[in-house]
Amino acid sequence: MQSELFSIPKKQDTKHFLADNTCILPGFICDNATEIRDLLEDILLLSPPRYMNTPGGQRMSVALSSCGTLGWISDAKGYRYSSYDPDTHQPRPNMPPLFSSLAIKAAAEAGFRDFRPDACLINCYIPGSKMSLHQDKDEQDLTQPIVSVSLGLPAEFLWGGFIRGDAKQTLLLQHGDVLVWGGDDRLRFHGIKPLKPGWHPITGDCRINLTFRKAGG
Ligand code: MD6
Ligand code: FE
């Protein structure tokens, strides 16, 4: 039943602002999901997702890869962007034109008209994977927004304030949804609750999240 429901995804031409500079575009990339998944398969062969350690030595719960000019890494030296894959020592796989054009279109829809992403982080979640509350602040130009694309299993997204302990809203991010934020909302704390088990026709038993950023100068 559930798979039938998911296999006829509908693009919804709506947007909903959670705050002045945080916008959810439900199902925005549904029509492109299969093509995105196929492109991701090629990228993840070149740069396989891996569990990195936090600077404190904790293994992260989400497996991560990147494409584009820059990719995000974490190790004992800290969080940062680098142009080389730390495991393969190769440049990052190219960001497919479909990825950048959808990210630019979504940003414009949310009111950010000059978004030029140079990094696409690929987060792979299996049941139980979570992302602790964090701020995205490793990018050089914090005036540029972040565009987040959800594929596969739904996830509960925690959307907080500017101090870790601020009240949080829980938002269900579903397959095809795009979340865009920037401006005054750029440094909000956020995270993902442990992924619930399930199955999705596009991604199987996992969730994939892409976040597009302008990481370099
Ligand atoms: C995720 N997303 O959805 C994790 N960061 O799996 C993020 O950490 C995130 O969705 C900045 C802006 C939007 C996001
Ligand atoms: Fe984030």
Side-chain angles (χ1 to χ4, degrees):
M1 271 309 277
Q2 207 176 21
S3 65
E4 262 177 33
L5 197 74
F6 274 122
S7 63
I8 40 160
K10 277 236 178 297
K11 178 168 169 169
Q12 300 165 24
D13 291 321
T14 57
K15 53 182 158 185
H16 176 71
F17 282 88
L18 295 179
D20 284 353
N21 290 298
T22 303
C23 182
I24 173 114
L25 304 164
F28 190 77
I29 58 85
C30 272
D31 293 349
N32 307 98
T34 306
E35 198 179 342
I36 294 173
R37 190 269 320 271
D38 292 349
L39 290 162
L40 276 172
E41 275 177 10
D42 295 340
I43 291 167
L44 296 178
L45 282 175
L46 292 170
S47 184
R50 81 293 310 261
Y51 293 99
M52 294 192 260
N53 287 327
T54 65
Q58 287 257 9
R59 183 184 191 256
M60 293 181 72
S61 151
V62 169
L64 207 135
S65 182
S66 295
C67 66
T69 314
L70 292 167
W72 187 83
I73 54 177
S74 172
D75 60 19
K77 290 187 213 146
Y79 302 128
R80 63 202 178 279
Y81 284 92
S82 84
S83 48
Y84 284 83
D85 181 314
D87 290 346
T88 66
H89 307 287
Q90 296 299 309
R92 310 286 177 172
N94 290 329
M95 191 187 301
L98 175 68
F99 284 22
S100 40
S101 63
L102 285 172
I104 288 167
K105 215 171 115 191
E109 198 64 47
F112 298 97
R113 281 179 210 293
D114 58 354
F115 184 44
R116 288 291 171 271
D118 58 9
C120 169
L121 276 59
I122 305 162
N123 291 320
C124 304
Y125 294 75
I126 56 172
S129 297
K130 65 182 172 65
M131 190 169 290
S132 306
L133 216 57
H134 67 279
Q135 291 171 299
D136 290 36
K137 54 182 184 185
D138 302 320
E139 299 75 28
Q140 283 186 30
D141 181 358
L142 296 179
T143 68
Q144 288 266 318
I146 294 185
V147 173
S148 157
V149 173
S150 291
L151 292 167
L153 294 180
E156 289 177 343
F157 182 78
L158 287 168
W159 188 70
F162 302 99
I163 295 170
R164 189 174 284 277
D166 282 351
K168 290 151 203 73
Q169 272 178 261
T170 304
L171 178 73
L172 191 68
L173 291 180
Q174 293 184 284
H175 174 74
D177 290 352
V178 177
L179 178 65
V180 183
W181 78 32
D184 290 347
D185 292 322
R186 184 66 173 67
L187 289 177
R188 281 183 184 272
F189 277 91
H190 58 282
I192 295 279
K193 290 191 189 172
L195 193 77
K196 293 184 178 141
W199 187 82
H200 191 279
I202 303 283
T203 61
D205 62 357
C206 67
R207 168 178 187 257
I208 299 179
N209 169 257
L210 310 178
T211 48
F212 294 89
R213 298 122 190 268
K214 173 90 171 91

